[in-house]
């Protein structure tokens, strides 16, 4: 769940960042993909960390 939430949050943040910088729709899509992947990876690491901490 954290990974999916991270991807959605990152994609929205990417779109808003590109829109604020005056980007075209292709720019918004690229920012959404980049930010989405980055936040998805952060969510993955957070999930692994929490899983290891809770299983002790």
């Amino acid at each position: 769940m954290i990974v999916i939430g991270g991807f959605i949050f990152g994609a929205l943040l990417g779109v808003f960042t590109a829109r604020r910088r005056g980007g075209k729709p292709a720019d918004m899509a690229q920012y959404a993909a980049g930010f989405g992947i980055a936040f998805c990876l952060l969510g993955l690491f957070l999930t692994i960390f929490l899983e290891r901490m809770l299983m002790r």
Side-chain angles (χ1 to χ4, degrees):
M1 267 331 240
I2 296 173
V3 176
I4 296 169
F7 182 79
I8 292 171
F9 176 73
L12 290 173
L13 185 64
V15 167
F16 292 134
T17 301
R19 184 177 294 162
R20 187 170 24 113
R21 293 182 181 185
K24 297 179 180 170
D27 297 325
M28 291 182 212
Q30 184 174 2
Y31 269 76
F35 277 55
I37 291 170
F39 278 85
C40 186
L41 283 173
L42 287 175
L44 178 65
F45 290 133
L46 181 62
T47 301
I48 292 171
F49 175 75
L50 289 175
E51 184 68 29
R52 288 184 181 249
M53 285 300 171
L54 293 175
M55 295 306 283
R56 288 187 179 211

